[in-house]
Each structure stands twice: as structure tokens, then as C-alpha cells.
């Protein structure tokens, strides 16, 4: 396996189904390449791993020659039928040229062992994932993007803003040394702490992920991807506002806003309607349960009365016999 990772020619496959075991995905890829291009690929040359940012499996297939690499890329890009279970539902198979990094980079002194490589493909933007290229003045980038995307995620299902990834999903990184990293954390906290209602510290996390070159060694020690993960607020009846008083919501791979007053009124109406329906349903269930309990109590009372009446009759009969 280690020797396969050092091959110079590889094909990247993305958006693979992460509900399928990795070994099964590798076997499907092997059969697909054989059917599509006639090439026999060893399982040791197929590396399948989970992509945390794009929430799917990805695979890297190593070839011994550039000709095999190019032919496989062309055939897989135009293949009409994909085996069931290979691609994650709702997505399309992504195929591209890929040059793998070394599996054991030198001087790996990162505490969590997690890193990206420059040019890595992270998939597509989704309702819970947003990419921004960044670059230039990092403070201005945060001021431009952070408030509205954090607001949109809070008012929707949560999500992650990744600064240092272009719109097509390729990692580029932004320059951020240790001093800039500390200052960026302070700037992010300052912006989010001005939201209304207040955003609690446990509702978001900030991570600086190093970016390596294709060989697995940092081309620039200060090249990083900034990830701001925003958790769902858990308050479906609340709309969060940015420090400037604007309201945003997330829809599919884009945001909507700033919302106009009538949009906010419509949102409130729908939420109130949904909450009212839920409360009506809950109240009806409570009434049904109470009625069922009353029926059982009435039935028990009738059985008890019947039993007492029978006891009285037996007592009267005994008294008459003695007389």
C-alpha cells in the first residue's frame, strides 16, 4: 500500500457514498475501471478515505503510467452508467487528475494530524458548507463574509464557512502566521459576540487547518484554511441578527438576505403556524390520553359497583335464611 501512494499518476474520484464500507467502494471502483477502460487495477492501488468537509468518501487510484491515467480519466468522465451504491445519493461522480501526497509527511508537528494539501478538491458547496477564496487583507475578508454567513447558518441548520477554498472546491489557503491566527480568533469572537440575541461560545468553533504542497510537505508554514463551524441554534422560533441589524437565512448552496420586513413577517407567520399546529396536536394527544384514562376509571368504577351489589345480595340472602 505504501508503494502505491508514491506513484506519480493518479485519478481522483469524489462524492462517493460514505454509507458503504470502504473496501466495497474500492472493489466497485476496480470493476468500474475494468469495464470502462479494460485496465486491471490492484486493490492496493486504490485508496479510499472519508472527506470531512464534503461529507462523503473520496478515492485515489494510482497508475503506473500517464497514458493509463489519462485514458481512465477520459472513460470515467464519459461513462453513462454508474454502479449503484458507488455515488452518494443526490450527487454526481467527480473525476479529476490527482497527484497524491506522501502518507507520512516529514516534520508533522500538528497536534491533531489534520491537514489539507494545496489543490485538494473538497466537493461542492451545500446548504451547510460555504467556500470563500480569501486572500488579501484577512480582516476585511472576515468583515465581508463572516457576519452574514454565520447569521445564515444560525437561522438555518448550522454549517461551516471555509476561508481559503475557491468556489469550485479546490484548496488554496490563506496566509496566516501565529500572530495573525491569534488576532483572527479575536476578530471572529468580536463579530459574533455582537449578534442579537447573543451567540453562546459552544455554538461555534474556529479551526486553522494547515495546507501542504502535493508532496506532503508544507510549501508555506503559514498557509492555512480557516474553518468557522456554526452549530444549529436549537431555537427554531428565533431569528439572529448581525451586528448591523441584518437578517440572513440559508437556502441550498446560497444565502438569502438581508431579509426585508415583509420577509421576516412571513417567516414569523410560518413559524407561528407550525408551532400552533404542533401545540394543537400535542394538546389533542393530551386530551385523548385523559379521555382514555377517564374511560378506564369509569370502567373500574362500574366493576367495583357491580361487585359491591353482588356482595349486598349475598348478605341479604343469608339474613333471610337465618330468620
Amino acid at each position: 500500500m505504501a508503494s502505491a501512494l508514491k506513484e506519480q499518476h493518479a485519478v481522483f474520484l469524489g462524492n462517493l457514498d460514505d454509507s458503504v464500507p470502504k473496501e466495497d467502494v474500492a472493489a466497485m471502483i476496480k470493476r468500474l475501471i475494468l469495464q470502462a477502460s479494460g485496465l486491471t487495477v490492484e486493490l492496493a492501488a486504490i485508496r479510499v478515505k472519508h472527506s470531512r468537509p464534503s461529507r462523503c468518501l473520496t478515492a485515489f487510484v494510482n497508475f503506473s503510467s500517464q497514458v493509463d491515467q489519462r485514458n481512465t480519466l477520459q472513460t470515467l468522465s464519459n461513462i453513462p452508467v454508474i454502479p449503484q451504491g458507488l455515488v452518494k445519493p443526490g450527487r454526481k461522480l467527480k473525476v479529476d487528475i490527482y497527484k497524491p501526497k506522501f502518507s507520512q509527511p516529514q516534520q508533522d508537528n500538528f497536534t491533531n494530524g489534520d491537514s489539507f494539501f494545496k489543490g485538494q478538491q473538497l466537493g461542492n458547496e451545500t446548504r451547510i458548507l460555504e467556500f470563500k477564496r480569501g486572500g488579501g487583507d484577512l480582516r476585511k475578508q472576515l468583515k465581508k463574509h463572516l457576519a452574514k454567513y454565520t447569521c445564515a447558518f444560525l437561522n438555518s441548520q448550522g454549517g461551516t464557512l471555509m476561508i481559503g477554498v475557491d468556489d469550485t472546491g479546490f484548496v488554496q489557503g490563506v496566509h496566516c502566521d501565529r500572530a495573525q491566527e491569534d488576532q483572527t480568533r479575536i476578530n471572529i469572537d468580536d463579530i459574533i459576540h455582537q449578534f442579537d440575541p447573543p451567540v453562546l461560545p459552544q455554538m461555534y468553533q474556529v479551526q486553522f487547518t494547515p495546507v501542504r504542497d502535493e508532496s506532503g510537505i508544507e510549501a508555506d508554514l503559514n498557509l492555512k484554511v480557516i474553518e468557522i463551524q456554526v452549530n444549529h441554534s436549537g431555537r427554531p422560533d428565533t431569528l439572529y441578527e448581525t451586528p448591523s441589524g441584518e437578517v440572513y437565512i440559508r437556502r441550498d448552496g446560497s444565502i438569502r438576505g438581508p431579509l426585508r420586513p415583509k420577509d421576516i413577517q412571513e417567516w414569523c407567520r410560518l413559524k407561528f403556524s407550525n408551532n400552533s399546529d404542533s401545540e394543537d396536536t400535542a394538546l389533542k394527544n393530551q386530551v385523548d390520553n385523559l379521555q382514555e384514562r377517564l374511560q378506564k376509571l369509569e370502567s373500574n368504577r362500574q366493576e367495583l359497583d357491580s361487585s359491591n351489589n353482588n356482595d349486598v345480595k349475598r348478605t341479604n340472602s343469608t339474613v333471610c335464611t337465618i330468620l
Side-chain angles (χ1 to χ4, degrees):
M1 184 70 173
S3 61
L5 294 177
K6 295 182 181 180
E7 294 291 337
Q8 296 300 310
H9 311 290
V11 171
F12 165 85
L13 288 85
N15 288 335
L16 306 179
D17 196 342
D18 53 0
S19 67
V20 178
K22 293 179 181 179
E23 56 270 21
D24 293 346
V25 170
M28 283 191 282
I29 292 173
K30 178 180 179 179
R31 291 194 299 269
L32 180 63
I33 293 175
L34 179 61
Q35 295 170 2
S37 61
L39 292 175
T40 300
V41 179
E42 298 296 328
L43 287 176
I46 303 174
R47 179 160 59 100
V48 180
K49 68 175 186 177
H50 186 267
S51 173
R52 178 173 54 85
S54 54
R55 295 173 175 81
C56 66
L57 293 180
T58 58
F60 312 99
V61 185
N62 296 283
F63 297 91
S64 58
S65 71
Q66 188 177 27
V67 173
D68 289 345
Q69 178 196 42
R70 297 290 178 179
N71 289 340
T72 301
L73 176 66
Q74 183 177 3
T75 54
L76 291 183
S77 299
N78 300 314
I79 193 167
V81 180
I82 304 297
Q84 185 175 4
L86 179 60
V87 179
K88 191 167 185 174
R91 301 193 187 184
K92 294 182 179 180
L93 179 66
K94 294 184 76 70
V95 184
D96 203 350
I97 292 293
Y98 172 72
K99 184 179 179 182
K101 61 183 180 179
F102 294 134
S103 59
Q104 297 290 338
Q106 295 177 352
Q107 299 177 349
D108 191 356
N109 57 353
F110 301 109
T111 56
N112 59 4
D114 191 15
S115 64
F116 297 116
F117 68 91
K118 193 175 179 69
Q120 181 177 349
Q121 224 290 332
L122 302 184
N124 301 320
E125 292 179 334
T126 66
R127 188 168 188 171
I128 58 174
L129 185 63
E130 178 70 27
F131 300 141
K132 289 300 171 187
R133 173 63 183 87
D137 190 328
L138 188 54
R139 187 184 182 92
K140 290 183 179 180
Q141 291 290 325
L142 289 174
K143 186 176 181 180
K144 179 180 179 181
H145 300 300
L146 179 64
K148 65 179 182 180
Y149 283 101
T150 299
C151 181
F153 287 140
L154 284 169
N155 290 330
S156 303
Q157 298 176 344
T160 301
L161 172 63
M162 304 186 73
I163 300 176
V165 182
D166 64 29
D167 291 339
T168 58
F170 287 92
V171 173
Q172 304 298 335
V174 293
H175 187 274
C176 187
D177 60 25
R178 181 56 60 87
Q180 289 174 313
E181 182 176 324
D182 293 339
Q183 186 59 51
T184 299
R185 289 185 184 274
I186 294 174
N187 294 339
I188 291 173
D189 289 340
D190 285 345
I191 293 173
I192 295 180
H193 287 171
Q194 296 179 58
F195 272 59
D196 184 27
V199 178
L200 302 178
Q202 62 267 29
M203 294 172 64
Y204 68 97
Q205 296 85 39
V206 180
Q207 180 174 330
F208 295 80
T209 304
V211 177
R212 305 175 185 274
D213 65 11
E214 292 181 342
S215 69
I217 303 173
E218 300 96 334
D220 183 347
L221 292 175
N222 297 320
L223 199 62
K224 298 169 185 176
V225 169
I226 305 173
E227 302 178 62
I228 300 99
Q229 181 179 345
V230 181
N231 302 325
H232 184 254
S233 67
R235 301 171 64 179
D237 58 341
T238 301
L239 273 179
Y240 285 84
E241 297 180 9
T242 68
S244 59
E246 296 176 334
V247 175
Y248 296 86
I249 58 176
R250 186 77 173 173
R251 287 290 180 267
D252 298 324
S254 62
I255 62 172
R256 180 181 171 188
L259 298 185
R260 297 169 296 177
K262 67 177 185 178
D263 295 327
I264 297 175
Q265 290 174 353
E266 178 65 13
W267 183 91
C268 293
R269 187 189 66 79
L270 291 174
K271 285 293 183 180
F272 179 79
S273 176
N274 292 336
N275 290 342
S276 297
D277 291 343
S278 299
E279 290 173 0
D280 289 345
T281 301
L283 183 60
K284 184 178 182 301
N285 291 336
Q286 291 179 4
V287 171
D288 290 342
N289 290 335
L290 286 173
Q291 288 178 342
E292 184 178 353
R293 291 174 61 186
L294 286 173
Q295 290 175 356
K296 289 181 178 180
L297 288 172
E298 179 63 20
S299 177
N300 292 338
R301 187 189 64 79
Q302 291 176 356
E303 291 178 0
L304 182 60
D305 289 346
S306 176
S307 176
N308 290 337
N309 289 336
N310 291 334
D311 290 342
V312 170
K313 289 180 181 179
R314 285 195 295 271
T315 302
N316 292 339
S317 176
T318 304
V319 171
C320 292
T321 302
I322 293 174
L323 291 175

